[in-house]
Amino acid sequence: MEINIDGVIAQTIQLALTPVFVLVAIGNILNILSNRLARVVDRSRILQKSHARTSGLEHDAVVREIRIVDRRIRLINSAMLLLVMSGLSIGITVAMLFVEEVFSASLQNAAAAFFFASIALLMAALLSFLRETRVATNALKIPETYLELERKL
């Protein structure tokens, strides 16, 4: 029995396109998260320098913001970990598709399970990202005095 490897590989590449598109999306989200993490880390460094130089109400405000920044860092790290795990699961899915086709192995159920796991991990990462953006938004409440709501503009 002769196997047409070129046809098998072409068919498998077509089959692997969906997981690869998910992998591209994961990469884009990781890029967004790493940029957010860099900005939050920069802010934490500024706050840590202010921590020793402040006292009273100003010190309390710095500590409150450090706590918020710490929570944001943990949420971003959590989302990034989940995304990396999702990406690895996608990679395993694609590898299984090729192994199944090239070696005539029966891996469809396992590949489907890994793909499902990668999507579940992606959704969990997006939820963590959503939580981080909510924490950031809640921390940035603009005081009404700056809004000058009594003025008609």
Side-chain angles (χ1 to χ4, degrees):
M1 180 173 140
E2 191 175 310
I3 299 174
N4 180 357
I5 294 293
D6 292 336
V8 169
I9 291 175
Q11 182 183 15
T12 305
I13 289 171
Q14 288 175 339
L15 198 64
L17 279 180
T18 299
V20 170
F21 281 125
V22 174
L23 195 57
V24 169
I26 289 169
N28 287 334
I29 299 167
L30 276 169
N31 186 36
I32 291 167
L33 287 173
S34 64
N35 286 334
R36 290 182 73 84
L37 182 60
R39 292 181 66 201
V40 174
V41 166
D42 288 346
R43 181 66 183 149
S44 79
R45 288 184 179 135
I46 291 168
L47 290 168
Q48 288 176 50
K49 288 178 184 174
S50 298
H51 185 270
R53 293 187 303 232
T54 58
S55 61
L57 293 176
E58 186 181 4
H59 183 75
D60 293 346
V62 168
V63 171
R64 273 193 294 279
E65 191 172 350
I66 286 174
R67 289 176 183 175
I68 291 169
V69 165
D70 179 65
R71 183 157 185 238
R72 289 183 64 195
I73 288 170
R74 283 186 279 116
L75 287 168
I76 293 170
N77 279 327
S78 173
M80 291 177 84
L81 173 64
L82 291 165
L83 284 170
V84 168
M85 290 171 53
S86 178
L88 290 171
S89 187
I90 288 285
I92 291 169
T93 300
V94 171
M96 283 184 175
L97 292 173
F98 278 94
V99 167
E100 180 178 46
E101 289 298 323
V102 172
F103 298 109
S104 299
S106 179
L107 298 174
Q108 271 191 344
N109 289 340
F114 270 95
F115 186 71
F116 178 78
S118 67
I119 297 300
L121 289 164
L122 173 60
M123 291 188 309
L126 290 173
L127 285 172
S128 186
F129 180 38
L130 177 64
R131 287 175 53 207
E132 188 275 330
T133 59
R134 303 275 302 172
V135 168
T137 302
N138 288 336
L140 294 174
K141 298 242 185 224
I142 299 172
E144 286 192 25
T145 55
Y146 291 119
L147 298 175
E148 300 181 20
L149 295 173
E150 68 281 351
R151 291 181 52 208
K152 292 209 184 242
L153 299 175

